[in-house]
Amino acid sequence: RQPKGGQLNCRYIQYNFEQMVYPMLLTTDQLKTLTPLEHADHHMLSRLAELGDIQYLDKGECLFEYGSNDDSKIYLLDGELELTAKDGRIRLVKTEQKKPVSIAIASLVPRQYTVTAKAETRIVRFESQEFEQILNGDEEITLEADDQDDVNILDEKSGVEADIFTQIFVDIT
């Protein structure tokens, strides 16, 4: 984008440069700074890094409004957010020295604030259900249940296949 007169729009270039400096990836080191992930194991952090959705907000862009039912966990990675309560009270949340804010932003549902970017801002959003499942270790339970479903399907196909599968399964465990 270039404004009239052929002058270079430095703000636009700087914003794109910041996107290159802060890629759309999340590291396990970044995640360890967030509550409640300080003591999470590497597997949990890696899984959350895959699921986190990094988003960029322009100054003045609304993240969510008071009363909305968006229940995702949102963490501020870089920038500044203005939280406006129903009664008009305003609270500013900003990062210090490029360190993420360690707690989720206004996580009550329905939302108790309207949240707007006060500067170019970068956040990470997690779907609450996936976030909680990984933290609670439910992800592994789901995988075990999927394995059991496979055994049941083989049992229903034919007795021979089930016997062979059962013997192989016994041999490898």
Side-chain angles (χ1 to χ4, degrees), residues 19 22-27 30 49-57 75 77 121-126:
Q19 285 184 342
Y22 301 112
M24 304 282 290
L25 300 173
L26 215 53
T27 67
Q30 284 175 315
E50 292 173 11
L51 294 175
D53 180 23
I54 294 180
Q55 299 173 347
Y56 290 84
L57 303 171
Y75 291 90
L77 298 176
T121 299
R122 188 171 58 110
I123 61 150
V124 62
R125 180 187 301 261
F126 298 98

Side-chain angles (χ1 to χ4, degrees), residues 59-72:
K59 182 179 180 178
E61 191 172 341
C62 183
L63 181 58
F64 54 80
E65 293 186 358
Y66 175 86
S68 68
N69 288 316
D70 168 23
D71 71 341
S72 54

